[in-house]
Amino acid sequence: MATALSSPPSERIRRVDVIAYVFGLMGATFVGEFALAALAGTATTYEAGMAGLGGFALLGTVQMYRDPDALRDGEEPAPAYLYLLPLVSTGAALPVVVTWVATPA
């Protein structure tokens, strides 16, 4: 049974695009956090581990784009409810980026 949230609002945005964006944003945030800590000279083992996890997330993002058929229905247009993932993750990443910019070096 199709609902308003299961129909795709845009035929050009695929499922793989939405999911890869979220993974890529997470990876970039983790790696960026470590890079700033390393530049400030206060990097910890925890931050290095999170940067490793972020690196794997970025590699996973690349792999998703290279082989979208590995995801279930990866080539299909993204349904409306999947549009919430990038909105929420971008909203969560914005305070981190604002902190990076606002923190004096």
Side-chain angles (χ1 to χ4, degrees):
M1 176 168 89
T3 65
L5 290 178
S6 65
S7 62
S10 171
E11 295 293 324
R12 294 185 348 197
I13 300 176
R14 305 172 301 168
R15 281 180 189 261
V16 69
D17 297 331
V18 173
I19 295 170
Y21 172 80
V22 172
F23 267 80
L25 184 64
M26 178 186 69
T29 302
F30 288 169
V31 170
E33 203 52 50
F34 174 71
L36 286 177
L39 289 174
T42 60
T44 63
T45 307
Y46 171 77
E47 288 166 332
M50 292 304 285
L53 182 64
F56 282 119
L58 290 173
L59 289 174
T61 301
V62 170
Q63 180 59 30
M64 280 184 229
Y65 273 119
R66 285 182 60 206
D67 187 20
D69 292 329
L71 291 174
R72 186 177 61 119
D73 299 328
E75 289 286 335
E76 299 292 319
Y81 68 87
L82 276 183
Y83 282 60
L84 291 176
L85 285 175
L87 288 174
V88 170
S89 58
T90 302
L94 279 177
V96 174
V97 173
V98 168
T99 303
W100 292 347
V101 172
T103 303

Short mmCIF file of all heavy atoms in Angstrom, two decimals, residues 60-101:
data_model
loop_
_atom_site.label_atom_id
_atom_site.label_comp_id
_atom_site.label_asym_id
_atom_site.label_seq_id
_atom_site.Cartn_x
_atom_site.Cartn_y
_atom_site.Cartn_z
N GLY A 60 33.47 3.86 2.77
CA GLY A 60 32.16 3.25 2.53
C GLY A 60 31.29 4.11 1.63
O GLY A 60 30.55 3.60 0.79
N THR A 61 31.41 5.42 1.78
CA THR A 61 30.66 6.34 0.92
C THR A 61 31.09 6.18 -0.53
O THR A 61 30.25 6.10 -1.44
CB THR A 61 30.89 7.79 1.38
OG1 THR A 61 30.44 7.91 2.73
CG2 THR A 61 30.15 8.77 0.50
N VAL A 62 32.40 6.11 -0.74
CA VAL A 62 32.91 5.93 -2.10
C VAL A 62 32.43 4.60 -2.68
O VAL A 62 32.00 4.52 -3.84
CB VAL A 62 34.46 6.02 -2.11
CG1 VAL A 62 35.03 5.60 -3.45
CG2 VAL A 62 34.89 7.42 -1.75
N GLN A 63 32.47 3.56 -1.86
CA GLN A 63 32.03 2.23 -2.32
C GLN A 63 30.54 2.22 -2.66
O GLN A 63 30.12 1.57 -3.61
CB GLN A 63 32.36 1.17 -1.27
CG GLN A 63 31.97 -0.22 -1.66
CD GLN A 63 32.62 -0.70 -2.95
OE1 GLN A 63 33.73 -0.31 -3.29
NE2 GLN A 63 31.94 -1.55 -3.68
N MET A 64 29.74 2.94 -1.88
CA MET A 64 28.31 3.01 -2.17
C MET A 64 28.05 3.63 -3.54
O MET A 64 27.20 3.17 -4.28
CB MET A 64 27.59 3.83 -1.10
CG MET A 64 27.30 3.10 0.16
SD MET A 64 26.34 4.16 1.25
CE MET A 64 27.26 3.99 2.75
N TYR A 65 28.78 4.71 -3.84
CA TYR A 65 28.60 5.35 -5.14
C TYR A 65 29.12 4.49 -6.28
O TYR A 65 28.57 4.50 -7.37
CB TYR A 65 29.31 6.71 -5.18
CG TYR A 65 28.44 7.83 -4.66
CD1 TYR A 65 28.83 8.57 -3.56
CD2 TYR A 65 27.24 8.14 -5.28
CE1 TYR A 65 28.04 9.59 -3.08
CE2 TYR A 65 26.44 9.15 -4.81
CZ TYR A 65 26.84 9.88 -3.72
OH TYR A 65 26.06 10.88 -3.24
N ARG A 66 30.20 3.75 -6.03
CA ARG A 66 30.75 2.90 -7.08
C ARG A 66 29.85 1.72 -7.41
O ARG A 66 29.78 1.28 -8.55
CB ARG A 66 32.13 2.38 -6.66
CG ARG A 66 33.19 3.44 -6.75
CD ARG A 66 34.54 2.91 -6.39
NE ARG A 66 34.91 1.83 -7.28
CZ ARG A 66 35.75 0.87 -6.95
NH1 ARG A 66 36.30 0.84 -5.78
NH2 ARG A 66 36.04 -0.07 -7.81
N ASP A 67 29.19 1.17 -6.38
CA ASP A 67 28.35 -0.01 -6.58
C ASP A 67 27.01 0.18 -5.86
O ASP A 67 26.78 -0.40 -4.81
CB ASP A 67 29.07 -1.25 -6.06
CG ASP A 67 28.32 -2.52 -6.38
OD1 ASP A 67 27.48 -2.52 -7.29
OD2 ASP A 67 28.58 -3.53 -5.70
N PRO A 68 26.12 1.00 -6.41
CA PRO A 68 24.84 1.25 -5.72
C PRO A 68 23.93 0.03 -5.67
O PRO A 68 23.00 -0.01 -4.88
CB PRO A 68 24.21 2.38 -6.53
CG PRO A 68 24.89 2.37 -7.83
CD PRO A 68 26.24 1.78 -7.62
N ASP A 69 24.21 -0.98 -6.50
CA ASP A 69 23.38 -2.19 -6.46
C ASP A 69 23.63 -3.02 -5.20
O ASP A 69 22.84 -3.91 -4.89
CB ASP A 69 23.64 -3.05 -7.70
CG ASP A 69 23.13 -2.38 -8.96
OD1 ASP A 69 22.13 -1.64 -8.87
OD2 ASP A 69 23.74 -2.58 -10.03
N ALA A 70 24.72 -2.74 -4.48
CA ALA A 70 24.99 -3.46 -3.23
C ALA A 70 23.97 -3.08 -2.16
O ALA A 70 23.73 -3.86 -1.24
CB ALA A 70 26.41 -3.19 -2.74
N LEU A 71 23.40 -1.89 -2.26
CA LEU A 71 22.34 -1.49 -1.34
C LEU A 71 21.01 -2.00 -1.86
O LEU A 71 20.77 -2.03 -3.07
CB LEU A 71 22.26 0.03 -1.24
CG LEU A 71 23.41 0.73 -0.55
CD1 LEU A 71 23.23 2.23 -0.68
CD2 LEU A 71 23.49 0.35 0.90
N ARG A 72 20.14 -2.35 -0.97
CA ARG A 72 18.81 -2.77 -1.39
C ARG A 72 18.10 -1.59 -2.02
O ARG A 72 17.97 -0.53 -1.42
CB ARG A 72 18.02 -3.28 -0.18
CG ARG A 72 16.68 -3.87 -0.53
CD ARG A 72 16.02 -4.40 0.70
NE ARG A 72 15.81 -3.33 1.66
CZ ARG A 72 14.61 -2.95 2.09
NH1 ARG A 72 13.55 -3.55 1.70
NH2 ARG A 72 14.51 -1.97 2.95
N ASP A 73 17.68 -1.74 -3.24
CA ASP A 73 16.99 -0.69 -4.00
C ASP A 73 17.82 0.59 -4.10
O ASP A 73 17.29 1.69 -4.08
CB ASP A 73 15.63 -0.36 -3.37
CG ASP A 73 14.70 -1.55 -3.35
OD1 ASP A 73 14.79 -2.39 -4.26
OD2 ASP A 73 13.88 -1.64 -2.42
N GLY A 74 19.15 0.45 -4.20
CA GLY A 74 20.02 1.62 -4.24
C GLY A 74 19.80 2.52 -5.43
O GLY A 74 19.97 3.73 -5.35
N GLU A 75 19.41 1.95 -6.55
CA GLU A 75 19.19 2.74 -7.76
C GLU A 75 17.79 3.35 -7.82
O GLU A 75 17.51 4.18 -8.67
CB GLU A 75 19.41 1.87 -9.01
CG GLU A 75 20.85 1.52 -9.26
CD GLU A 75 21.66 2.70 -9.78
OE1 GLU A 75 21.07 3.61 -10.39
OE2 GLU A 75 22.87 2.70 -9.56
N GLU A 76 16.91 2.92 -6.94
CA GLU A 76 15.54 3.42 -6.93
C GLU A 76 15.49 4.86 -6.42
O GLU A 76 16.35 5.27 -5.63
CB GLU A 76 14.66 2.55 -6.02
CG GLU A 76 14.57 1.11 -6.44
CD GLU A 76 13.81 0.95 -7.73
OE1 GLU A 76 12.79 1.64 -7.91
OE2 GLU A 76 14.25 0.16 -8.57
N PRO A 77 14.53 5.66 -6.83
CA PRO A 77 14.37 7.00 -6.27
C PRO A 77 14.09 6.91 -4.77
O PRO A 77 13.40 6.00 -4.29
CB PRO A 77 13.17 7.58 -7.01
CG PRO A 77 13.05 6.77 -8.25
CD PRO A 77 13.57 5.41 -7.91
N ALA A 78 14.64 7.85 -4.02
CA ALA A 78 14.48 7.84 -2.56
C ALA A 78 13.05 8.25 -2.19
O ALA A 78 12.54 9.26 -2.68
CB ALA A 78 15.46 8.79 -1.91
N PRO A 79 12.41 7.49 -1.30
CA PRO A 79 11.07 7.89 -0.84
C PRO A 79 11.17 9.11 0.07
O PRO A 79 12.25 9.45 0.58
CB PRO A 79 10.57 6.66 -0.09
CG PRO A 79 11.78 5.89 0.27
CD PRO A 79 12.81 6.20 -0.74
N ALA A 80 10.06 9.74 0.29
CA ALA A 80 10.04 11.00 1.05
C ALA A 80 10.56 10.83 2.47
O ALA A 80 11.23 11.73 2.99
CB ALA A 80 8.62 11.55 1.07
N TYR A 81 10.30 9.70 3.12
CA TYR A 81 10.74 9.56 4.50
C TYR A 81 12.26 9.50 4.62
O TYR A 81 12.81 9.86 5.66
CB TYR A 81 10.10 8.34 5.17
CG TYR A 81 10.54 7.00 4.64
CD1 TYR A 81 11.67 6.38 5.13
CD2 TYR A 81 9.82 6.36 3.64
CE1 TYR A 81 12.08 5.15 4.65
CE2 TYR A 81 10.21 5.13 3.15
CZ TYR A 81 11.34 4.54 3.66
OH TYR A 81 11.74 3.31 3.18
N LEU A 82 12.98 9.10 3.58
CA LEU A 82 14.44 9.09 3.63
C LEU A 82 15.03 10.49 3.54
O LEU A 82 16.19 10.69 3.88
CB LEU A 82 15.01 8.23 2.50
CG LEU A 82 15.10 6.74 2.76
CD1 LEU A 82 15.76 6.03 1.59
CD2 LEU A 82 15.84 6.43 4.02
N TYR A 83 14.26 11.47 3.13
CA TYR A 83 14.75 12.84 3.07
C TYR A 83 14.98 13.39 4.48
O TYR A 83 15.68 14.39 4.65
CB TYR A 83 13.77 13.74 2.33
CG TYR A 83 13.83 13.59 0.83
CD1 TYR A 83 13.58 12.38 0.21
CD2 TYR A 83 14.15 14.67 0.03
CE1 TYR A 83 13.64 12.25 -1.16
CE2 TYR A 83 14.20 14.55 -1.35
CZ TYR A 83 13.95 13.33 -1.93
OH TYR A 83 14.01 13.20 -3.29
N LEU A 84 14.40 12.77 5.49
CA LEU A 84 14.62 13.23 6.87
C LEU A 84 16.05 12.95 7.33
O LEU A 84 16.59 13.69 8.15
CB LEU A 84 13.63 12.55 7.81
CG LEU A 84 12.18 12.97 7.66
CD1 LEU A 84 11.29 12.16 8.59
CD2 LEU A 84 12.02 14.45 7.94
N LEU A 85 16.67 11.87 6.84
CA LEU A 85 18.03 11.53 7.26
C LEU A 85 19.03 12.65 6.97
O LEU A 85 19.75 13.07 7.88
CB LEU A 85 18.49 10.23 6.58
CG LEU A 85 17.90 8.94 7.11
CD1 LEU A 85 18.36 7.76 6.26
CD2 LEU A 85 18.32 8.72 8.54
N PRO A 86 19.12 13.16 5.75
CA PRO A 86 20.08 14.24 5.53
C PRO A 86 19.72 15.53 6.26
O PRO A 86 20.61 16.27 6.66
CB PRO A 86 20.08 14.45 4.02
CG PRO A 86 19.05 13.60 3.45
CD PRO A 86 18.53 12.70 4.50
N LEU A 87 18.43 15.79 6.43
CA LEU A 87 18.04 17.00 7.16
C LEU A 87 18.50 16.94 8.60
O LEU A 87 19.09 17.88 9.13
CB LEU A 87 16.53 17.19 7.09
CG LEU A 87 15.97 17.63 5.76
CD1 LEU A 87 14.44 17.65 5.80
CD2 LEU A 87 16.50 19.00 5.40
N VAL A 88 18.25 15.82 9.26
CA VAL A 88 18.63 15.66 10.66
C VAL A 88 20.15 15.63 10.81
O VAL A 88 20.72 16.27 11.69
CB VAL A 88 17.98 14.39 11.26
CG1 VAL A 88 18.54 14.07 12.63
CG2 VAL A 88 16.47 14.56 11.32
N SER A 89 20.84 14.90 9.93
CA SER A 89 22.29 14.81 10.06
C SER A 89 22.98 16.13 9.75
O SER A 89 23.97 16.48 10.39
CB SER A 89 22.84 13.69 9.19
OG SER A 89 22.50 13.89 7.85
N THR A 90 22.47 16.90 8.80
CA THR A 90 23.04 18.21 8.52
C THR A 90 22.79 19.14 9.70
O THR A 90 23.69 19.89 10.11
CB THR A 90 22.44 18.81 7.24
OG1 THR A 90 22.68 17.91 6.16
CG2 THR A 90 23.03 20.16 6.93
N GLY A 91 21.61 19.07 10.28
CA GLY A 91 21.32 19.87 11.47
C GLY A 91 22.20 19.51 12.65
O GLY A 91 22.60 20.37 13.44
N ALA A 92 22.56 18.24 12.77
CA ALA A 92 23.44 17.82 13.85
C ALA A 92 24.89 18.21 13.59
O ALA A 92 25.65 18.45 14.52
CB ALA A 92 23.33 16.31 14.05
N ALA A 93 25.29 18.26 12.33
CA ALA A 93 26.68 18.60 12.00
C ALA A 93 26.92 20.11 12.02
O ALA A 93 28.06 20.54 12.22
CB ALA A 93 27.03 18.04 10.63
N LEU A 94 25.89 20.91 11.84
CA LEU A 94 26.08 22.36 11.81
C LEU A 94 26.68 22.93 13.10
O LEU A 94 27.60 23.75 13.03
CB LEU A 94 24.77 23.06 11.48
CG LEU A 94 24.41 23.09 10.00
CD1 LEU A 94 23.06 23.75 9.80
CD2 LEU A 94 25.47 23.80 9.19
N PRO A 95 26.22 22.52 14.29
CA PRO A 95 26.86 23.05 15.51
C PRO A 95 28.34 22.68 15.61
O PRO A 95 29.15 23.45 16.11
CB PRO A 95 26.07 22.42 16.66
CG PRO A 95 24.77 22.04 16.07
CD PRO A 95 25.04 21.74 14.63
N VAL A 96 28.71 21.51 15.11
CA VAL A 96 30.11 21.10 15.13
C VAL A 96 30.93 22.02 14.23
O VAL A 96 32.00 22.51 14.62
CB VAL A 96 30.25 19.62 14.70
CG1 VAL A 96 31.70 19.22 14.57
CG2 VAL A 96 29.53 18.72 15.67
N VAL A 97 30.43 22.29 13.04
CA VAL A 97 31.15 23.14 12.10
C VAL A 97 31.22 24.57 12.63
O VAL A 97 32.25 25.24 12.52
CB VAL A 97 30.49 23.09 10.71
CG1 VAL A 97 31.11 24.09 9.76
CG2 VAL A 97 30.60 21.68 10.14
N VAL A 98 30.14 25.05 13.23
CA VAL A 98 30.15 26.40 13.81
C VAL A 98 31.17 26.48 14.93
O VAL A 98 31.89 27.48 15.06
CB VAL A 98 28.73 26.78 14.30
CG1 VAL A 98 28.76 28.03 15.16
CG2 VAL A 98 27.80 26.96 13.12
N THR A 99 31.30 25.42 15.73
CA THR A 99 32.31 25.38 16.78
C THR A 99 33.71 25.43 16.20
O THR A 99 34.60 26.10 16.72
CB THR A 99 32.14 24.12 17.65
OG1 THR A 99 30.82 24.10 18.18
CG2 THR A 99 33.14 24.08 18.78
N TRP A 100 33.93 24.71 15.08
CA TRP A 100 35.25 24.74 14.42
C TRP A 100 35.59 26.15 13.98
O TRP A 100 36.71 26.62 14.15
CB TRP A 100 35.27 23.83 13.21
CG TRP A 100 35.19 22.38 13.47
CD1 TRP A 100 35.33 21.73 14.66
CD2 TRP A 100 34.92 21.36 12.50
NE1 TRP A 100 35.17 20.38 14.49
CE2 TRP A 100 34.92 20.14 13.17
CE3 TRP A 100 34.69 21.38 11.14
CZ2 TRP A 100 34.70 18.93 12.52
CZ3 TRP A 100 34.47 20.19 10.50
CH2 TRP A 100 34.47 18.97 11.18
N VAL A 101 34.62 26.83 13.40
CA VAL A 101 34.87 28.16 12.86
C VAL A 101 35.02 29.18 13.99
O VAL A 101 35.87 30.08 13.93
CB VAL A 101 33.73 28.58 11.90
CG1 VAL A 101 33.86 30.01 11.47
CG2 VAL A 101 33.70 27.63 10.70
#
